[in-house]
Structures are given as C-alpha cells and as structure tokens.
Amino acid sequence: MKKATYRLFSLLLAFQLVALYSYATDGYFSTGYGTINKGFAGAGVAFYQGSLINGNPAATVFLGQQYQVGIDFFNPNRQYTIGGSPAADAMFPLAPGTIKSDSKLFLLPSAGANWMLNEKSSISAALFGNGGMNTDYPTMTFGDPSSKSTGVNLAQLFGNITYSHKLGEKHSIGVTGVISYQYFEAKGLASFSGFSSDATALSGNGKDNGLGYGFKIGYLGHLTDNFAIGLTYQSKVYMSEFKDYAGLFAEQGDFDIPSSWTAGISWEFVPDLTLIADAKAIHYNEVKSIGNPMLPNLMQGPLGDDEGAGFGWENIMIYKVGLNYAGLDTWEFRCGASFGKNPVPESEVMFNILAPGVIENQLALGLSKAVGSKGNKIHFAVNYAMNSSVKGDNPMAQGQTIEVEMNQLELELGFSF
C-alpha cells in the first residue's frame, strides 16, 4: 500500500507540473478544494467529509484512513472592452474594441491521503493547484511591438502536510505545514519600460519560478450531535522573488500569497439534511505587488520599487452556503452558492486587463455515490461563476473607458477509497 501510494503521488505530481494552469474564482483563489467542497461552492469548514484537500486541518482526524483523487475541468472566459474617445494629449490610449482571451480549457488534478496514527490523531498529505491569474489576448493590448499577444500566467502548486488531533470525542485541532511552488510569465508589457526600475526584467522573459512556505491552523467542534463549528487561519505564504520580473512587481519581484481566515457552521436541522455556511476573508492588500494601486504609485516611483504600482486589489469577504442530503440509500446530493465582492475597484481596470478576477457570485451542484467496497465513493461537482464585470476610466487616457469581464464553468470528478 505504501508503494502504491508513493507511485500515485509521484504520478500526480508529474501531471500537476505538466497541466498546472491558472484561473480565478475567489479573486485568484479557487472557489473550493476537492470535489465535495466544490459541490458546496467552497463552503464546509465545519463539515469534515470534504476536508482532505486543503480543508480544515482539524477535521481530517474524523475521516479515518482515506485516499482521494480528483480531476477538474475548467472553462474560464475573460475579455476586455475599450470604449470612448481618448483626448488628443492622452498619455497611454488603448485601441478600441472587445478582445477575448484565448486558452479556455484547463485540466487540474488533485490528490490527498489521510492515515490514522491512533484513535485520536492522524497525519495527511495533499497535493493541489490553487487558482491564479491567466490571460492570453491575441493582440498588442498595450502597444508592445515585440509581442503579438498580451497576457500573464501565474500558476501555484501546493503540498500540504497536516497533523490532526481529537480533544475528547467531539472537538479537534490541527496544523498544516504549507509548501508552495509558483511560476509566472508576462508578455506584451514592454511599452511600460519607461515606468520600470529595470526594463530588462519587465516582460517577455519566459517562465520564472519560486518556492515558499507557510502554515494553516484549524479547530472543529461538534457542540451537539447535529451542530458543529469550524475555524481556520492560513498565514501569508512567503515566496521567493521573481527575479526575471523584478522590474514589474513591487519589492523587486516579490509575490507572496496573502493570508486568509474562514469561520463556519454545519447544522443537521432535520435528519439527513445538513445546512453549511461559511464566511471567508482574504487579505490581498498585505502583498504590495497585488494591493498597491496603479495611481498615484506609477507616477511617484518606478515599477519594481517597494511602493511600485500593483493591481490595486482590495481585501474581500466571501459568504458561502450549502446543503447536503444523505437520506437516499447510497447517494448524497449537495448544492451551494457563494457571494462576495470582487477585489478590483473601478480605478484599477487598466492593469487588471491582465488579471480580471472580478467574479462575485457562484452556484454549485454536487453528488456522491457509494460504489464497490465499503468506503469507496465517486463524487461529482459542477460550479458556475456568473458573469461579472467592472468598468472604469482609463487612468492614462481621459475620455476612454475600460471594462473587464469574466465568467466560468467548472466540472470536477473525484474518487475516495
């Protein structure tokens, strides 16, 4: 079994490195992790069944020995529209029209395993991709003659090791060590060289990569037989700098992963029907390359400096709710919805042509079916992120407007055994 598990994780790691792509849902974080969790639109910090793939680290001790694998089919649709007529003396006008991003279908696998050390503690491992940012516009959006297309690709891969321990029979705590790998590529941005601290480390340098570390802690408490609360906090993940893009990102190429916290409940208010609700906060503005505004920073200091211009993303709160029905023999059915404010304000639309993570509302459906031996289940989830857009003025061309827009469809298949 140990040899089979090692081979499984080795295969999935290779698959991740080949197939790792980026997309955006809760800003640039995935709406959920694992097929069960995605069937609730990401809710479930107090629902232990969906906890193995980046869930509540306190919850895995209730799973028993278990293995999970999943494959996600993801279809994001991103576009921008330039309207209006720029003034004759505009500093940086853009070509009018609507441009849609290419690269519309991605595959992303995940895997996790939980081993019981004894009746009160377990250790687990999980491998999965985060969201990220990806655009691939087939045009010279910013007028860079060195590239016939414009866009960025940020991809992140996480390896989590979790220790979970019961406190009595109904409470537990857990801690996760987080290791992250990410890569980034930008093209079509050379027209900003006059604003950069290092024009040779701004655009068109291929993929640069980095490693990082952080932690996650959690608590799960079953206050009654049918009511539980869950809490998690994930630290900032400290990443090594993108040296090849030190003239683009603030703090000489720094691109850490922001911290977040989640609090939630699960309540079986009638037999076999459980209500799940979460509130989640993501602190984008603690990472300068993400949170720094474009203006006035672009005029006060060059790109790549400590206070260099960024994407101007704001901190966000996201509210998620789901239902799970387990009263039909070998079947379970679930649904969910997620509601939040997108992190991109109207003043930041120009740079966010590259990263239109403007999704606000999402709907999800899911199911599980027991198959074969006891404990084996097939899972399915579908998630639709409703079309969302942000429109604002081009801050460098008076009279011109920019609208960024996005919607997404996601299907995931999973198997636990």
Side-chain angles (χ1 to χ4, degrees):
M1 179 61 73
K2 289 182 180 178
K3 185 177 291 186
T5 302
Y6 173 78
R7 288 174 178 172
L8 174 63
F9 271 86
S10 298
L11 177 62
L12 282 162
L13 176 59
F15 190 11
Q16 285 275 10
L17 294 176
V18 171
L20 186 60
Y21 291 97
S22 312
Y23 50 90
T25 43
D26 292 346
Y28 79 78
F29 287 89
S30 176
T31 189
Y33 298 92
T35 318
I36 294 175
N37 188 240
K38 287 183 178 177
F40 297 126
V45 71
F47 188 75
Y48 72 88
Q49 293 181 35
S51 63
L52 186 50
I53 309 294
N54 198 36
N56 186 340
T60 54
V61 71
F62 291 100
L63 286 174
Q65 186 153 313
Q66 187 177 127
Y67 303 86
Q68 291 183 14
V69 293
I71 183 72
D72 188 43
F73 301 83
F74 192 78
N75 166 227
N77 299 292
R78 299 87 78 212
Q79 68 179 45
Y80 70 87
T81 300
I82 308 300
S85 300
D89 60 349
M91 180 184 299
F92 210 115
L94 303 178
T98 296
I99 304 296
K100 297 182 178 181
S101 177
D102 292 334
S103 305
K104 295 185 177 182
L105 181 61
F106 304 129
L107 301 179
L108 193 63
S110 61
N114 188 61
W115 300 275
M116 299 303 297
L117 301 177
N118 51 54
E119 292 182 355
K120 289 189 174 292
S121 60
S122 72
I123 190 166
S124 62
L127 184 68
F128 59 93
N130 189 35
M133 296 183 290
N134 173 279
T135 46
D136 183 18
Y137 299 111
T139 187
M140 295 183 293
T141 300
F142 298 112
D144 176 3
S146 66
S147 177
K148 294 182 179 180
S149 59
T150 304
V152 298
N153 188 13
L154 170 71
Q156 296 170 334
L157 174 66
F158 287 85
N160 285 3
I161 302 294
T162 297
Y163 175 75
S164 183
H165 183 76
K166 286 184 181 179
L167 305 174
E169 294 300 319
K170 295 186 177 182
H171 301 265
S172 62
I173 56 174
V175 61
T176 298
V178 178
I179 299 173
S180 180
Y181 164 82
Q182 65 179 8
Y183 68 71
F184 176 80
E185 180 177 11
K187 56 186 177 180
L189 307 182
S191 297
F192 290 100
S193 59
F195 298 96
S196 176
S197 60
D198 183 357
T200 66
L202 173 66
S203 179
N205 291 334
K207 289 184 174 69
D208 195 3
N209 56 75
L211 296 172
Y213 61 91
F215 69 89
K216 187 175 185 178
I217 56 175
Y219 163 76
L220 179 63
H222 295 88
L223 304 186
T224 69
D225 289 340
N226 60 358
F227 185 85
I229 62 172
L231 302 168
T232 65
Y233 170 77
Q234 180 163 309
S235 72
K236 179 191 286 190
V237 179
Y238 296 90
M239 304 297 301
S240 55
E241 289 83 4
F242 291 127
K243 295 298 185 182
D244 291 340
Y245 292 96
L248 174 62
F249 289 133
E251 299 183 297
Q252 299 79 51
D254 183 69
F255 207 96
D256 293 335
I257 298 168
S259 66
S260 62
W261 61 260
T262 306
I265 65 165
S266 66
W267 176 31
E268 189 178 2
F269 60 98
V270 297
D272 298 318
L273 185 61
T274 303
L275 171 69
I276 297 162
D278 285 5
K280 180 179 182 179
I282 304 174
H283 305 130
Y284 286 116
N285 71 7
E286 69 184 13
V287 179
K288 291 185 176 182
S289 52
I290 302 172
N292 280 359
M294 179 179 178
L295 294 179
N297 297 47
L298 193 65
M299 302 302 176
Q300 295 178 345
L303 291 166
D305 275 12
D306 288 355
E307 298 304 324
F311 291 96
W313 282 25
E314 299 174 339
N315 296 344
I316 58 173
M317 284 291 300
I318 307 156
Y319 302 94
K320 300 172 182 285
V321 62
L323 286 171
N324 190 77
Y325 179 67
L328 188 61
D329 196 19
T330 58
W331 293 86
E332 289 188 41
F333 298 91
R334 57 189 63 94
C335 62
S338 176
F339 309 96
K341 180 183 177 183
N342 88 78
V344 180
E346 294 178 359
S347 60
E348 303 298 328
V349 288
M350 187 173 185
F351 270 3
N352 281 288
I353 287 173
L354 299 170
V358 297
I359 294 298
E360 293 185 335
N361 302 320
Q362 303 174 60
L363 299 174
L365 294 171
L367 59 84
S368 297
K369 174 71 168 68
V371 293
S373 304
K374 184 178 180 180
N376 292 357
K377 291 184 178 181
I378 294 175
H379 311 284
F380 171 78
V382 56
N383 184 283
Y384 176 65
M386 290 178 272
N387 197 74
S388 184
S389 65
V390 175
K391 185 176 182 179
D393 295 331
N394 181 341
M396 303 179 73
Q398 185 178 0
Q400 194 169 62
T401 61
I402 301 171
E403 183 177 18
V404 294
E405 189 172 351
M406 191 174 191
N407 64 70
Q408 301 167 163
L409 179 65
E410 186 174 8
L411 301 174
E412 181 159 327
L413 298 174
F415 181 58
S416 60
F417 57 96

